[in-house]
Amino acid sequence: MAWFLGLGIAGIVLLVLSLLFDGVLEGLFDGVLSLPVIAGFLSMFGFSGAIVLGGTGLGAGAAAGVGVAAGVGAGWLAWKFSRVLMRDQTDATPRQEDLVGTAGSVVTAIPADGYGEVLIRLAGHPVKLAAKSAVPVARGAEIWVEASLSSTSVAVRPVER
């Protein structure tokens, strides 16, 4: 029984190591063999083998058979969960060019010869930017972004309705 418990504990230690050394063995066998998969197999093999050996009158051979079956199941689940997590996609990061064509409103009035501030929505988030315009634009006016001058400033024109 000590061997089974030792293997179960070794699996837990291997799982902790897989958190520290992320990606080790990921390339082997097309990503099927990885540290979380090995740790899941080893832990379930050891602990379920120890439970069968200590809780029933069956011998070490039956305990090893149950341990292998449980280990394969745990390894397969670890593989499936890691595949799902690794394939999780996020939206593209907004770029400076994405500002052009965005509507917004003036927060601080824009003089003809200087900068003011506008509030626009970029990827669903409010963004306050410095803005300049060829004509003066009053506070609260609706604007349209014509060009992105930098990552924090834009050229705008008022929207005429």
Side-chain angles (χ1 to χ4, degrees), residues 12-24 34-37 39:
I12 298 294
V13 169
L14 192 58
L15 184 60
V16 170
L17 289 176
S18 74
L19 294 173
L20 297 175
F21 301 110
D22 185 35
V24 175
S34 64
L35 283 178
V37 171

Side-chain angles (χ1 to χ4, degrees), residues 3-5 7-8 37-54 56 58-76:
W3 281 100
F4 285 116
L5 287 175
L7 289 172
V37 171
I38 295 169
F41 172 81
L42 202 56
S43 294
M44 284 305 290
F45 172 73
F47 290 134
S48 55
I51 290 170
V52 169
L53 192 60
T56 66
L58 301 174
V66 170
V68 166
V72 167
W76 180 79

Side-chain angles (χ1 to χ4, degrees), residues 119-148:
L119 184 66
I120 63 169
R121 287 191 122 4
L122 181 62
H125 298 279
V127 179
K128 190 164 112 175
L129 299 168
K132 69 187 266 181
S133 175
V135 297
V137 184
R139 180 178 184 264
E142 191 176 350
I143 53 91
W144 190 264
V145 177
E146 289 184 322
S148 176

